[in-house]
Amino acid sequence: MAEQDCWVQQLQLLQAQGRAEELRAALPEALAALPDSAPFQCYVGWLLREQGEPQAAETALVRALRLQPDFTLAQIRLGVVLRDLGRLPEAEQATRRALQLDPAAAGCWMNLAVILKDGCRLREAVAAIDRALELEPCLPGAELNKAAILRDLGQPQAALQVLLTARANQGESPALLALEGALLQAEGRFAEAEASLRRALELDPGCSQAYLSLAQQCKASPDDALDQGLRQVLAQPRLPAAARCDLLFARAKVDHDLGRFVQAAEALQQANQIKQALRPSNAPSVLEQGERLWQEFRAAASAEQLPYDGPGSGCVFVVGMPRSGSTLVETILSMKPDCLALGEVDWFPLAYRQVVESASDPALYAQIAERYLHARATRQADVAGWSVDKLLSNYQYCGQILMALPQARIIHCRRHPLDVLLSIYRANFSVGLGYASSLTDAARVLAQQASLMERYAALFPDRIQLCHYEALVREPAHTVRELVRWLGWSWDERYLQSHRNRRAVSTASVVQVRAPIHAGSVGNWQRYADLLEPARLELERLGVALV
């Protein structure tokens, strides 16, 4: 114990005095000096993690657990380190093992919530964070994490309310202010958002999330403080991977604003390489699901059996690829006083999975419709009369939607493929869309999406309407009138003033949708032609027309 105490004192002294290089040099020697002490291996492993050495940290923590398998703290810390490394299934396994050892560990429940959030399992994440708060109501960071989960669920107002509680309990912090800024952006309160984000940077000049949100909101200018600040922070050698990723996306946006498109492309490549390492592409599972759902639909109904009567009146679905103008369409339609924008709700896929995994019996669609309409009623969409469901991945369910809700309408948003792929690649999506970090994978998903929508449109020509982004922004008066006429609505000039819509927006279009309709981003892909060349070749191979 004397040798261990000596090492601990030495390492704590180096840490307290800020002698980071000496500390990093001492850690391997410390591990080698006491290889059979589980507590010491756990302690040094955590120091390694704090010094930006997650692989070495994992090795030390795994050794601690070999020495003492029921060592709860080592198990908890291993889960955190595995999440740092982007290995979410292993991180979840380690964290659940820690909870078996200590079910009342509130901090461990919070760690599990963060892992589930990273894996896009948001409902499970809410349950886990609520359990953490039940065990320890004032657990530091829990309310902040809950707010982040609610944001990703498309509930910015609820997230802001949670942040108010967190601020009252814990005071302001850079992370809280950065998230607050992003949520205020969703509400269209840009001046307040900017104030929160700049305050976050005052408290922590390296706050990556604040830089990212500021870059998304504010157009950079020469000699901009944002530009200079990003240069300084990115020059730091041992930034955590997730923070460097955010900063590089911000760097790319600033370079784009300043016309430095070659540098912007380089920053985007670096950012997406980090993101892909942290969250590998999910393109194979997306493609498999799209084809499987098409086959399940065809097994459930032949062309002669497709329904033309039934529920769904007032239900509008907006589908397509991300960054194809869908948020703009949703915002335009919700200018109608009796039309409620639902946002990106997963009600239909959830109803479908709950009722049947392989829908071979058409009678089951009545149960699917009942579940969806019940969820819709909880948001008072039945009172509004009309609703817009903008879960873009519902393109995979178009057949099932129109089997269950024959009176529903589906708007398919389409944009030039290379503009779509560039915009996806430039957007740092917080959840889902694992394929977004690979241009060629995104091209494969786009190709399948286009093919599926062609098949569904051929079967339901009167229920699926194509909306071209380029036409919408270049000729809004004509295009919006056609859309309104197709829906059977009366014309109202308010449809052309969508930027006045005060609803909350939680998508990557949070800033653009607050501006009057314009065609400024049409043809952006031409500035990044070299970057997009692999995607162009993939689209060409898959037979996708570049129009």
Side-chain angles (χ1 to χ4, degrees), residues 23-96:
L23 176 61
R24 277 192 288 271
L27 291 176
E29 184 182 351
L31 287 173
L34 294 163
D36 297 324
S37 170
F40 189 69
Q41 293 287 316
C42 177
Y43 168 69
V44 177
W46 196 244
L47 285 179
L48 284 163
R49 188 247 181 188
E50 292 176 341
Q51 295 303 310
E53 301 285 355
Q55 290 88 354
E58 179 192 4
T59 300
L61 291 165
V62 168
R63 182 170 184 82
L65 286 166
R66 286 200 188 109
L67 293 166
Q68 187 177 328
D70 60 350
F71 192 176
T72 305
L73 180 59
Q75 197 74 54
I76 291 172
R77 289 178 169 178
L78 179 61
V80 174
V81 168
L82 290 169
R83 177 194 173 240
D84 291 342
L85 292 167
R87 289 153 55 188
L88 296 183
E90 294 171 78
E92 180 183 353
Q93 184 180 28
T95 305
R96 291 193 184 278

Side-chain angles (χ1 to χ4, degrees), residues 49-55 81-87 208-209 234 236-249 267 270-279 428:
R49 188 247 181 188
E50 292 176 341
Q51 295 303 310
E53 301 285 355
Q55 290 88 354
V81 168
L82 290 169
R83 177 194 173 240
D84 291 342
L85 292 167
R87 289 153 55 188
S208 61
Q209 293 173 325
L234 280 167
Q236 297 177 14
R238 292 183 177 272
L239 285 171
R244 185 172 292 278
C245 182
D246 286 346
L247 291 164
L248 284 166
F249 275 109
Q270 293 174 38
N272 280 291
Q273 284 168 1
I274 294 171
K275 194 168 186 179
Q276 199 163 18
L278 292 173
R279 299 177 189 174
N428 186 16

Side-chain angles (χ1 to χ4, degrees), residues 80-223:
V80 174
V81 168
L82 290 169
R83 177 194 173 240
D84 291 342
L85 292 167
R87 289 153 55 188
L88 296 183
E90 294 171 78
E92 180 183 353
Q93 184 180 28
T95 305
R96 291 193 184 278
R97 169 64 179 148
L99 286 169
Q100 289 176 348
L101 295 169
D102 184 2
C108 196
W109 281 104
M110 181 172 70
N111 293 347
L112 178 62
V114 173
I115 293 165
L116 293 169
K117 172 184 176 293
D118 287 350
C120 307
R121 293 156 61 187
L122 298 177
R123 295 179 189 277
E124 294 174 74
V126 170
I129 202 69
D130 283 344
R131 178 61 177 150
L133 286 164
E134 180 184 334
L135 289 166
E136 191 175 332
C138 295
L139 177 66
E143 288 161 328
L144 183 61
N145 279 303
K146 182 172 183 177
I149 295 166
L150 291 171
R151 174 199 59 186
D152 290 346
L153 274 169
Q155 300 176 25
Q157 296 98 333
L160 272 173
Q161 288 301 311
V162 172
L163 278 189
L164 287 175
T165 303
R167 186 192 282 267
N169 290 341
Q170 302 167 26
E172 62 181 19
S173 68
L176 185 150
L177 288 163
L179 180 55
E180 181 181 74
L183 293 170
L184 289 168
Q185 285 178 344
E187 295 281 307
R189 296 156 61 182
F190 292 123
E192 296 170 77
E194 184 174 353
S196 292
L197 295 169
R198 293 199 182 279
R199 175 60 179 155
L201 290 175
E202 286 178 16
L203 296 176
D204 176 10
C207 184
S208 61
Q209 293 173 325
Y211 273 116
L212 180 60
S213 293
L214 266 178
Q216 290 170 339
Q217 177 177 326
C218 305
K219 185 176 176 63
S221 58
D223 301 320

Side-chain angles (χ1 to χ4, degrees), residues 23 47 72 109 128 152 264 302 316 334 396 398 449 469 513:
L23 176 61
L47 285 179
T72 305
W109 281 104
D152 290 346
S302 68
V316 179
S334 61
Q396 296 184 325
C398 281
Q449 187 267 342
Y469 174 79
V513 79

